[in-house]
Amino acid sequence: MMPSPVPLSRDLVLVGGGHAHALVLRMWGMEPLPGARLTVIDPNPVAPYSGMLPGMVAGHYRQRDLEIDLVRLARFAGARLIVGAACGIDAGARRITLGDGREIGYDVASVDVGVHARMPGLPGFAEHGLAVKPLGPFAARWEAFVAEVAAGREAPGAAVIGGGIAGVEVALAMAHRLRQAAGRADVSLIERAPQIAPGGPVLRPRLMRALADMGVRVRTGARVAEVRSDAVLLEGGEAVPARLTVGAAGARAHEWLAQTGLPVTQDGFVRVAADMRVEGQDALFAVGDCAHLGHAPRPKAGVFAVRVAPVLRDNLRAVLCGGQTRAFRPQRDYLKLVSLGERRAVAEKLGIAFSGRLLWRWKDRIDRAFMDKFDPLPQMRAEPLPRLRALSGEVDDEPMCGGCGAKVAPEVLRGAIAGPGDDAAVIETGGVRQVLSTDHLRAFTEDHGLMARIAALHALGDIWAMGARPQAALVSVTLPRMSEALQARSMTEIMAGARAALAPAGAQIVGGHSSMGAEASIGFALTGIVEGEAITLAGGRPGDALILTRPIGSGTLLAADMRGVAEGRDIVALFNRLVEPQGDAAALLSGAHAMTDVTGFGLAGHLRNMCRESGVAAWIDPEAVPPMPGAEALAARGLRSTIWAANRRAAPVAGLGEGGRAALMHDPQTAGGLLAAVAAGEADALVARLREAGHGAARIGGIEDGVPGAVRCGAVAG
């Protein structure tokens, strides 16, 4: 995203990626508010569309068909996505607390965290039950269960607790899917009320017929006493056999909302006024299923979340700009479409019910139309390039990457600095041997705390690669132009993230420097203590094996994320990998003959530097090099980081060829793995120990006699 010509002055935070917030993000991307910094907080990289959940259970949709990619959507909206679970709101201090202890300040905020179907008060449910919401854990467990049934390793028996509309839909969908997998199904629907669908009397007769046709056994007036691994025990002693028990007994508010001090209903839903502001609050909104419309109570239905989105967007902008809000007036009645397991549905509106296959196709069209709003996202017109401009030479028009993808080309550095040098300088003072290094990253995420953690661990890689113990750190921060309030919030996030990475490694922050500029960047200067001799680039010996401690592909993934074409799950998986420290890996590799951390020059470039300094050649097996999830496919599509072409020119690999895996050999890495040359006889045992410690390590090649710096393709035996 290009820096805004208007300084950032107000923080808008969306807590949760529910339907209303997803639509607000889409609208914001098409018409952002200058000067407002938009943040979205959600525990997952995707947000599920609940309207398609029964179809997924029945096998008509894949899980990804009903997931909104929040990473991609946030990028489109110019928002920063913080992947974390909110657990508290201090409306007085205007601060949101996350489960990991982080705090995010706001000027205006909105809550859209949905509901859950967990049953904490029911004995055995936590151990043996499965809540239909949240979607992620439910979908994974359901698909695994169906696979076991299809393979004949599990009986097709299940029970659904809760006979409301949602429970009926899930029970019918499960019965249909299990019939497809095993040829039969044994599904029970358990409802404590005297009848199913207490809120849908008009639909009830048709739903009862559908359940009977699908062979679902209905138990009404039944109270559940306990959930066991193989049955649901009812009050009175009856045991309902079930190899999988699903909870769908109504929508429950998240417990933490009632602990915020905000006004809530007796069952924990946040009370809001007509303009969707929380009662008594002038800068806090709540929408979706977690909110209770005191002025116009309505059932928990996605249609209201969709209808409220334009009103919410307008009201958020109004409060940010000092304007007037407007009321949300939900319709009194709406079309209710209920799936019947197979590709049939029943509908009701104005007291009239009707059913058939045509209705399922209608529902499918409505659901897919909603999801089509987010994939693909609208193509926004880019600013035209100047008609008259200087010849570009080797400079292309693609946006510049963040992280190590923004490094200066290796041949340029080699011409300006004598030799590649080691990862850190070795200095000796008063008999104490230290290493000294500095590293600096252009931001690739606006989650400042996350970016600081990654930048710190990236810088620590130089210290660990030298076999040193981290000691002290200086922090260097550049922030885009923003108000003092936003500066304070940003610096708080950055310093908390930096300490979270440095303190466990033994490094203490002793000072630093800050400034404002065109964009955010974070850097660290570090010292470390060396016990004995430092591990350098120069110790590689012919016959050594090469070990890499981490998969590659971060540069490709970050380039794809910047262009809005990466999968959100892959980006979050990447970030989770990049915040894993490697001090323990360095300790395991302390006997290496030579070691470096793989960063901006890519695996081939850093291996070439090691070979030059050691006076040897090397071979590498691209098929043995593990890629980050999603990276190889993106590279095969032609996605490249800014410095990739320069890396390939600087470090050719004989016999490498083309293709996605080959391209990743030159991919610039941010917080990349350690590359170590070790005695061949120790390599396999070291890889095993690294993997046991949680590192994605692999034996990827070896050192050999030859032209210093030459690298060729080979094959790892085995």
Side-chain angles (χ1 to χ4, degrees), residues 422-427 434-438 462-463 466 526 528 530 534:
D422 285 306
D423 294 292
V426 180
I427 55 177
Q434 291 179 294
V435 295
L436 173 65
S437 179
T438 184
D462 289 340
I463 305 300
M466 299 285 288
L526 294 168
V530 180

Side-chain angles (χ1 to χ4, degrees), residues 206-268:
R206 294 174 186 264
L207 295 178
M208 287 296 296
R209 285 199 296 271
L211 290 164
D213 291 344
M214 199 64 72
V216 177
R217 291 196 298 272
V218 179
R219 285 173 168 80
T220 55
R223 293 179 176 270
V224 178
E226 183 183 357
V227 176
R228 298 177 177 175
S229 61
D230 60 352
V232 177
L233 186 66
L234 304 181
E235 290 183 359
E238 180 187 358
V240 179
R243 300 301 300 170
L244 179 70
T245 299
V246 172
R252 289 176 167 80
H254 292 280
E255 290 77 8
W256 65 268
L257 290 172
Q259 300 167 7
T260 60
L262 299 172
V264 297
T265 62
Q266 188 174 1
D267 45 2

Side-chain angles (χ1 to χ4, degrees), residues 602-624:
L603 176 58
H606 286 281
L607 176 56
R608 185 178 179 87
N609 287 345
M610 179 186 289
C611 289
R612 278 180 170 174
E613 292 297 295
S614 297
V616 296
W619 60 271
I620 187 172
D621 183 356
E623 295 304 313

Side-chain angles (χ1 to χ4, degrees), residues 86-174:
C87 64
I89 298 175
D90 185 336
R94 298 195 178 183
R95 185 169 57 236
I96 297 154
T97 303
L98 305 188
D100 59 8
R102 286 185 290 172
E103 295 183 338
I104 306 298
Y106 69 87
D107 295 296
V108 180
S110 177
V111 183
D112 185 10
V113 294
V115 293
H116 71 87
R118 293 184 293 270
M119 308 175 78
L122 179 59
F125 187 84
E127 296 80 11
H128 307 298
L130 176 63
V132 74
K133 291 183 178 181
L135 173 67
F138 170 77
R141 178 94 171 272
W142 169 244
E143 292 298 332
F145 179 73
V146 171
E148 291 293 296
V149 169
R153 293 188 294 268
E154 185 62 272
V160 177
I161 302 174
I165 297 295
V168 171
E169 281 193 296
V170 170
L172 288 167
M174 292 173 71

Side-chain angles (χ1 to χ4, degrees), residues 150-514:
R153 293 188 294 268
E154 185 62 272
V160 177
I161 302 174
I165 297 295
V168 171
E169 281 193 296
V170 170
L172 288 167
M174 292 173 71
H176 174 75
R177 184 76 174 280
L178 292 175
R179 279 184 173 186
Q180 299 295 311
R184 63 187 182 90
D186 181 11
V187 177
S188 297
L189 179 65
I190 304 170
E191 168 58 38
R192 65 187 301 175
Q195 296 176 305
I196 66 163
V202 176
L203 292 171
R204 188 179 300 128
R206 294 174 186 264
L207 295 178
M208 287 296 296
R209 285 199 296 271
L211 290 164
D213 291 344
M214 199 64 72
V216 177
R217 291 196 298 272
V218 179
R219 285 173 168 80
T220 55
R223 293 179 176 270
V224 178
E226 183 183 357
V227 176
R228 298 177 177 175
S229 61
D230 60 352
V232 177
L233 186 66
L234 304 181
E235 290 183 359
E238 180 187 358
V240 179
R243 300 301 300 170
L244 179 70
T245 299
V246 172
R252 289 176 167 80
H254 292 280
E255 290 77 8
W256 65 268
L257 290 172
Q259 300 167 7
T260 60
L262 299 172
V264 297
T265 62
Q266 188 174 1
D267 45 2
F269 296 96
V270 181
R271 300 181 63 91
V272 297
D275 63 357
M276 305 310 295
R277 278 191 280 196
V278 176
E279 291 179 358
Q281 298 293 323
D282 60 358
L284 182 62
F285 294 75
V287 293
D289 287 350
C290 71
H292 172 74
L293 285 68
H295 69 291
R298 294 292 186 273
K300 304 299 181 186
V303 63
F304 300 117
V306 172
R307 296 287 179 86
V308 78
V311 177
L312 177 63
R313 189 276 308 266
D314 292 348
N315 288 350
L316 291 172
R317 292 170 69 97
V319 175
L320 287 165
C321 299
Q324 296 295 313
T325 61
R326 63 189 178 99
F328 170 57
R329 306 190 187 281
Q331 69 270 39
R332 292 186 177 275
D333 195 20
Y334 62 97
L335 177 67
K336 305 172 187 68
L337 282 165
V338 181
S339 298
L340 298 179
E342 54 185 352
R343 294 177 187 266
R344 295 174 59 245
V346 59
E348 185 267 324
K349 188 173 184 181
L350 300 175
I352 302 172
F354 38 100
S355 59
R357 295 189 180 277
L358 182 61
L359 285 173
W360 193 91
R361 291 197 292 271
W362 188 12
K363 183 181 188 308
D364 176 64
R365 188 175 298 113
I366 292 171
D367 290 337
R368 290 186 183 275
F370 178 81
M371 292 303 295
D372 286 346
K373 294 178 182 292
F374 305 101
D375 188 17
L377 289 161
Q379 290 291 320
M380 305 305 292
R381 187 173 61 185
E383 290 293 326
L385 294 171
R387 185 181 59 83
L388 186 63
R389 54 183 177 146
L391 296 174
S392 61
E394 297 177 356
V395 180
D396 59 33
D397 297 325
E398 292 289 337
M400 186 170 66
C401 291
C404 262
K407 283 180 71 77
V408 174
E411 291 300 333
V412 173
L413 284 181
R414 191 167 288 120
I417 303 172
D422 285 306
D423 294 292
V426 180
I427 55 177
E428 190 166 339
T429 306
V432 177
R433 183 171 292 142
Q434 291 179 294
V435 295
L436 173 65
S437 179
T438 184
D439 241 313
H440 182 93
L441 293 178
R442 180 175 184 258
F444 47 78
T445 173
E446 295 300 319
D447 180 345
H448 296 310
L450 173 66
M451 188 67 222
R453 287 181 67 188
I454 293 173
L457 291 169
H458 176 85
L460 283 167
D462 289 340
I463 305 300
W464 286 325
M466 299 285 288
R469 175 168 46 87
Q471 178 189 29
L474 296 171
V475 188
S476 177
V477 176
T478 301
L479 293 175
R481 191 180 175 199
M482 58 180 64
S483 68
E484 290 187 9
L486 268 65
Q487 290 176 40
R489 290 171 185 162
S490 300
M491 289 301 297
T492 297
E493 292 177 23
I494 288 169
M495 296 308 294
R499 292 189 189 98
L502 294 168
Q508 181 180 0
I509 298 175
V510 296
H513 178 75
S514 65

